[in-house]
């Protein structure tokens, strides 16, 4: 069966997306959960260890605190309280830390450092899986054992105000609540006022036991303008005043002889130097934890804060309130909190914590008895029993006290070891689903490699032996074999597998697909080996297939080298350096080709080439003005020098963009040009740069549009500047002092109207050219108008200092298309790979990295008054992948403008599929080999999400390629 290269590549990419999705379903594990019972109960608590003849005492220590107030400030960094600016930002809390009755710690949050997983960690004591990053967008009710459920079951009355994620996680758990959406990051005032307005009335009442306040304003300010914004200090001082008011009310209500209160100040995660979060940098994982209570001794001076795990707060609060510890908690008691209790109560607290961790260890690790922490706990428990026996017998000697302190140290060491062992077991991987997904993507890669000579031939078709493979005996034998393996794995697996839970129809379809692909691979490999050695598989259709030029060697070696670099975590963290190096090398090789063409070829050849029309769009006829005329180029000599200047100018643009946004992981904190431009004293410079960039964007994009689209584009870009002025990023010349900031809702919607108008005009022209009339000029104009609409939308979403990135992107595209790709006769495969390289580099020029922390979620709310999930996700994804998307869109427009459009489109689509398949397969194999290493969660897991999303976008682009070509063929017939 012969199919076109574009159809074949689209089919392979769609199947690859399914394979990666199945792999992701197995790779992102289910967090550790005990299977002994659904919830812990007071009746399940173990008795106090005792080795004597008397019955063991099952007494549970009395609660330490009567009331608990938890103030969770979203994105509160550790240095905001304990750092040099702590006295300026939060003076009252800093005074309590230095002189008050407090215990202060640096609480480390585990990645992913986003809100919903952190709330789960604080309430369950467990370490959520990385897939919770996705679930963070739409939180579901939390069913596992947690502190909130335990408190409600024990009759505690809980009041909550703040982030509505709590309400979604714990429905019907709060006596009173008022939730505010956490995703509308443009608002940092009302979102906190909605919490504070309830404070006065609530603090006067006595009908609650636990009060939880979750403030979001600081996190929103970080997303908008970063941790060094002028808005940070006023917001932290506002939080400090609120804490002062709460502390004063608690002290007034403190009754003589009653249990003391506990005020907890904490953060769910920190804030990176760019103002975001989600990764594993120090500023993102280090959060302050301040415990304030009259039960603690007063400080005499500032002490260095010790480090605890964020999950340690869960067992500490549970035991402090007299509640069972959550069953899946891996945290350990913060011992200084209970150090004022009697030694017997302290040991009892540690015993309860150790008992819970030991049972979780039994359920999670098969060889739990060999674990150091489990052995230490058994020794400490036995020593504890001996100590209790002596206490019961009335022994009060000093030796007994020393013995008790020794048992306490044994317990602490055992808890530390067991907690560390459980934390390493982040979850239970579904290896069967991972292997099935990995096999599928690996088969597709081999299929693409075997079909390469035919797919890149002049016919741009692939001969797939589908019928012979499906009718062969090996196909049916493979189906039976794989079905037997599936039954064997599903019946013998100790843990549940997602692939085993699918219906038999889907499973048999997957088995048949894998068997068919394997038979097709064998047939194609046998056919390729049977060809005569002297006969080219492409029949002369591919220029230089067996003789590679310097550019071909660079493109192949660079792509392979990047794939190999993914095996090192440092190269993944700093992947932008790889792409910057490859792009610079590419420019030098292109410069060499330009010099060879214009200065080393024969004069007659130069003249003949200059006499031909190789300019875009080549199929629009002589009536269309040459784009060079718009650039001011009227003679061949000027054209030659512009071609010579294009690679150095591209290098200069790349060097400028590298300085604009510092990215990566290790050096992301260093100052860059973007920080300088965004400072308040340089707003005039940023305004001029933004205006100049928007003017150049219009000049570079409008040339191929109709006059209606040109007007819409001009008004839309003016609206972009107005929006940035409305939100305070830039200023108009007549403004003084920056004007009053607003949300820019009207201005953004004004731009959206023109974006939709341009996209509608381009789509109408494209459909007319594809269905009604085969007008190449109309088709080219429709594609470029759609492209200009995407550019306008990206300009609206980009921050003001990133507008030069968009401007340089368009400038490089224009120069390369006019003077390099056409003039040097680069084929579709070479052009596609270069577009792919530029797209990857511009992904990092935007300031992105392989960390979730660099995703700018604030762009999801441009023009929105409230959180609406679908447009917010779409705008965020579009802004994040704007670089690769714009270069892929330019590739569509460029290849579709060639005379041999169908062949070029087929080659381009096939090369895109191959470029995405090679790193995808390598990465899937890599993360499978490293699945037991803890560091992959902060490095490889975000990269895997990025790669899967990029593959999905590439599949959508190839589908657009294929659909356009199929509709064109239909209109011709």
């Amino acid at each position: 069966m012969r199919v076109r290269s574009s159809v074949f590549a689209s089919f392979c990419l769609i199947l690859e997306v399914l394979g990666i999705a199945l792999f992701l379903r197995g790779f992102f594990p289910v967090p550790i959960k005990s299977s002994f019972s659904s919830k812990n109960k007071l009746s399940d608590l173990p008795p106090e260890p005792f080795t004597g003849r008397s019955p063991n005492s099952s007494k549970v220590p009395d609660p330490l605190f009567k009331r608990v107030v938890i103030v969770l400030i979203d994105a509160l960094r550790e240095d905001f309280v304990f750092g040099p600016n702590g006295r300026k930002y939060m003076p009252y809390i800093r005074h309590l830390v230095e002189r008050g009755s407090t215990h202060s710690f640096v609480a480390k949050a585990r990645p992913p450092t986003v809100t919903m997983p952190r709330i789960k960690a604080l309430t369950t004591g467990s370490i959520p899986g990385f897939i919770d990053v996705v679930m963070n967008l739409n939180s579901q009710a939390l069913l596992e054992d947690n502190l909130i459920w335990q408190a409600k079951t024990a009759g505690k009355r809980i009041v909550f105000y703040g982030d509505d994620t709590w309400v979604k996680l714990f429905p019907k758990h709060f006596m009173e609540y008022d939730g505010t959406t956490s995703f509308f990051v443009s608002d940092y005032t009302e979102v906190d006022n909605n919490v504070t307005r309830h404070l006065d009335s609530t603090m006067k009442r006595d009908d609650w036991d636990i009060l939880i306040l979750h403030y979001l304003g600081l996190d929103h300010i970080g997303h908008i303008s970063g941790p060094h914004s002028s808005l940070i200090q006023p917001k932290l001082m506002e939080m400090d005043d609120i804490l002062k008011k709460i502390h004063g009310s608690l002290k007034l209500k403190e009754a003589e002889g009653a249990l003391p209160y506990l005020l907890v100040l904490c953060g769910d995660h920190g804030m990176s130097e760019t103002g975001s979060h989600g990764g594993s940098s120090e500023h993102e994982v280090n959060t302050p934890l301040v415990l304030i209570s009259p039960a603690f001794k007063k400080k005499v001076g500032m002490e260095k804060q010790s480090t605890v795990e964020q999950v340690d707060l869960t067992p500490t609060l549970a035991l402090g309130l007299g509640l069972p510890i959550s069953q899946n908690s891996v945290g350990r008691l913060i011992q200084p909190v209970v150090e004022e209790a009697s030694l017997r109560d302290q040991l009892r607290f540690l015993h309860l914590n150790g008992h819970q961790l030991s049972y979780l260890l039994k359920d999670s690790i098969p060889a739990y008895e060999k674990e150091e922490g489990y052995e230490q706990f058994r020794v400490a428990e036995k020593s504890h029993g001996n100590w209790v026996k002596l206490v019961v017998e009335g022994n009060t000697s000093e030796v007994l006290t020393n013995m008790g302190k020794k048992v306490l140290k044994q317990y602490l060491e055992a808890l530390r070891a067991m907690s560390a062992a459980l934390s390493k077991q982040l979850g239970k991987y579904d290896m069967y689903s991972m292997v099935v997904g990995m096999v599928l993507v690996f088969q597709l890669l081999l299929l693409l490699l075997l079909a390469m000579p035919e797919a890149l031939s002049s016919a741009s078709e692939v001969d797939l032996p589908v019928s012979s493979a499906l009718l062969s005996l090996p196909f049916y034998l493979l189906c039976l074999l794989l079905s037997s393996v599936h039954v064997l794995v599903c019946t013998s697996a100790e843990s549940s597998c997602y692939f085993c839970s699918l219906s038999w129809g889907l499973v048999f379809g997957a088995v048949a697909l894998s068997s068919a692909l394997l038979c097709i691979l064998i047939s194609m490999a046998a056919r390729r080996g049977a060809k005569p050695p002297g006969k080219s598989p492409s029949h002369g259709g591919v220029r230089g297939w067996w003789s590679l030029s310097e550019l071909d060697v660079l493109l192949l070696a660079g792509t392979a080298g990047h794939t190999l670099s993914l095996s090192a975590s440092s190269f993944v963290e700093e992947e932008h350096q790889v792409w910057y190096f490859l792009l610079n090398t590419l420019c030098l090789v292109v410069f060499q080709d330009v010099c060879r063409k214009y200065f080393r070829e024969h004069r007659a050849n130069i003249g003949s080439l200059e006499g031909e029309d190789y300019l875009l769009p080549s199929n629009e006829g002589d009536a269309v003005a040459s784009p060079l005329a718009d650039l001011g180029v009227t003679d061949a000599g000027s054209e030659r020098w512009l071609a010579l200047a294009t690679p150095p100018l591209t290098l200069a643009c790349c060097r400028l963009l590298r300085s604009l946004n510092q990215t990566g992981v290790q050096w992301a904190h260093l100052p860059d040009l973007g920080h300088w431009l965004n400072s308040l004293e340089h707003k005039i410079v940023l305004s001029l740069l933004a205006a100049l960039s928007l003017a150049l964007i219009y000049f570079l994009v409008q040339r191929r549009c109709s006059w209606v689209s040109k007007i819409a584009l001009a008004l839309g870009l003016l609206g972009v500047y107005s929006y940035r002025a409305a939100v305070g990023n830039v200023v108009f010349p007549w403004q003084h002092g920056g004007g009053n900031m607003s949300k820019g809702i009207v201005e953004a919607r004004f731009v959206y109207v023109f974006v939709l108008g341009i996209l509608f005009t381009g789509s109408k022209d494209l459909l007319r050219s594809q269905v009604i009339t085969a007008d190449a000029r109309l088709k080219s104009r429709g594609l470029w108008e759609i492209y200009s609409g995407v550019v306008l939308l990206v300009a609206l979403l980009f921050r003001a200092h990133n507008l030069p990135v968009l401007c340089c992107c368009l400038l490089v595209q224009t120069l390369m298309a006019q003077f390099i790709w056409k003039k040097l006769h680069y084929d579709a495969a070479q052009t596609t790979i270069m577009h792919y390289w530029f797209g990857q580099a511009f992904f990092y020029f935007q300031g992105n990295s392989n960390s979730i922390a660099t995703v700018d979620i604030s762009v999801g709310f441009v023009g929105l008054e409230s959180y609406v999930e679908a447009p917010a996700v779409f705008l965020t994804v579009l802004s994040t992948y704007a670089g690769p998307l714009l270069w892929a869109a330019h590739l569509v427009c460029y290849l579709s403008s060639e005379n041999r459009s169908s062949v070029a489109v087929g080659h381009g689509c096939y090369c895109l599929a191959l470029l995405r398949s090679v790193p995808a397969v390598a990465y899937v194999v890599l993360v499978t080999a490293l699945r037991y290493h803890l560091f992959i969660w902060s490095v490889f897991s975000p990269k895997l999400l990025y790669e899967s999303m990029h593959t999905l976008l590439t599949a959508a682009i190839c589908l657009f390629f294929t659909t356009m070509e199929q509709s064109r063929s239909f209109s011709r017939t």
Side-chain angles (χ1 to χ4, degrees), residues 487-506:
V487 173
L488 180 63
V489 171
C490 293
T491 54
S492 62
E494 296 180 358
S495 58
S496 60
C497 301
Y498 172 74
F499 198 64
C500 294
S501 64
L502 297 177
S503 64
W504 263 104
L506 292 176

Side-chain angles (χ1 to χ4, degrees), residues 261-273:
Y261 62 82
L262 175 65
L263 174 59
V264 180
L265 168 64
C266 61
D268 54 346
H269 52 74
M271 182 189 300
S272 70
E273 284 298 301

Side-chain angles (χ1 to χ4, degrees), residues 551 554-555 558 576-592 646-659 812 816 834 837-838 841-842 845:
L551 179 64
L554 171 65
L555 295 177
H576 60 286
Q577 302 286 4
V578 177
W579 288 114
Y580 295 166
F581 171 77
L582 292 178
L583 207 60
N584 293 339
T585 310
L586 175 64
C587 290
L588 294 177
V589 173
V590 169
F591 183 75
Q592 175 185 322
T646 294
L649 185 59
T650 302
L651 279 173
C653 289
C654 293
R655 187 63 190 88
L656 172 65
L657 297 183
R658 287 185 62 176
S659 304
V812 172
M816 294 291 285
M834 283 192 273
W837 282 21
F838 274 105
F842 272 85
F845 285 146

Side-chain angles (χ1 to χ4, degrees), residues 106 142 187 268 283 307 322-323 332 334 345 462-463 500 546 591 650 674 764 812 885 927 935:
V106 175
L142 184 61
D187 172 30
D268 54 346
H283 288 307
T307 301
L323 305 173
R332 51 198 173 108
I334 302 176
D345 284 348
V462 178
D463 186 10
C500 294
W546 300 111
F591 183 75
T650 302
K764 181 188 66 174
V812 172
L885 181 63
V927 297
F935 70 89

Side-chain angles (χ1 to χ4, degrees), residues 121-418:
L122 285 168
T123 55
T124 65
S126 61
I127 300 176
F130 208 92
I131 195 63
D132 283 310
V133 172
V134 180
M135 301 302 295
N136 186 59
L137 298 173
N138 188 17
S139 304
Q140 303 295 327
L142 184 61
L143 301 179
E144 65 179 288
D145 196 359
N146 60 82
L147 181 65
I148 304 299
W149 184 90
Q150 292 286 357
K152 183 177 183 295
T153 304
K156 304 289 184 182
R157 297 159 297 180
I158 311 173
V159 177
F160 170 78
Y161 305 116
D163 186 355
D164 61 356
T165 305
W166 290 78
V167 182
K168 297 175 182 177
L169 288 173
F170 310 106
K172 302 180 181 179
H173 284 65
F174 303 120
M175 178 188 75
E176 181 180 318
Y177 65 87
D178 185 12
T180 57
T181 180
S182 60
F183 291 105
F184 189 59
V185 298
S186 299
D187 172 30
Y188 54 85
T189 304
E190 291 299 322
V191 73
D192 285 344
N193 292 340
N194 288 338
V195 179
T196 307
R197 64 180 179 175
H198 301 284
L199 200 55
D200 290 335
S201 60
T202 303
M203 295 305 298
K204 293 176 182 178
R205 291 156 34 194
D206 294 322
D207 60 345
W208 55 268
D209 300 300
I210 300 176
L211 173 62
I212 303 174
L213 307 173
H214 188 151
Y215 285 95
L216 292 163
L218 181 65
D219 178 63
H220 292 186
I221 290 174
H223 285 296
I224 294 171
S225 52
H228 305 292
S229 167
S230 59
L231 300 172
I232 291 289
Q233 182 176 351
K235 176 55 67 175
L236 288 173
M237 293 183 68
E238 176 190 343
M239 296 294 102
D240 191 63
D241 291 338
I242 291 169
L243 286 161
K244 182 178 180 180
K245 180 187 295 185
I246 294 173
H247 190 215
S249 299
L250 290 174
K251 286 196 295 185
L252 288 176
K253 285 184 172 293
E254 185 180 359
E256 191 69 29
L259 287 175
Y261 62 82
L262 175 65
L263 174 59
V264 180
L265 168 64
C266 61
D268 54 346
H269 52 74
M271 182 189 300
S272 70
E273 284 298 301
T274 60
S276 189
H277 53 87
S280 59
S281 67
E282 288 295 315
H283 288 307
E284 292 171 86
V285 301
N286 287 348
T287 64
L289 176 60
V290 182
L291 306 175
I292 307 169
S293 176
F296 307 145
K297 288 183 179 179
K298 281 197 173 184
K299 299 286 184 64
V300 294
M302 184 70 174
E303 300 176 356
K304 182 175 176 58
Q305 284 72 32
S306 57
T307 301
V308 298
E309 293 291 332
Q310 193 180 60
V311 293
D312 294 344
L313 184 61
T314 304
T316 304
L317 290 179
L319 294 173
L321 290 170
L323 305 173
I325 301 174
S326 303
Q327 196 170 57
N328 302 314
S329 171
V330 299
R332 51 198 173 108
L333 175 68
I334 302 176
Q335 196 271 334
V337 176
V338 300
E339 64 184 3
E340 299 301 317
S342 65
L343 184 56
R344 184 172 183 177
D345 284 348
Q346 291 185 53
L347 293 177
R348 178 62 171 150
F349 286 136
L350 294 173
H351 174 247
L352 292 174
N353 194 185
H355 180 268
Q356 176 264 326
L357 288 176
S358 66
Y359 265 71
L360 186 59
L361 197 68
K362 288 180 183 180
D363 199 30
S364 305
I365 302 177
Y368 67 92
E369 293 180 345
K370 298 180 181 179
E371 288 291 332
E372 178 186 2
Y374 185 81
E375 295 177 358
Q376 290 177 339
F377 174 71
R378 286 304 176 202
V379 172
E381 191 176 36
K382 185 176 180 180
S383 301
H384 185 192
N386 294 331
W387 184 86
V388 171
K389 178 184 177 181
L390 294 175
V391 171
V392 172
E393 291 175 353
N395 194 326
T396 59
S397 65
E398 185 177 349
V399 175
L400 184 65
T401 303
N402 293 333
M403 179 182 174
K405 292 180 179 179
K406 182 179 179 180
V407 175
L408 188 143
K409 291 182 180 179
Q410 290 177 337
Y411 267 135
L412 291 176
E413 283 298 315
L415 294 179
R416 182 196 59 77
M418 286 192 292

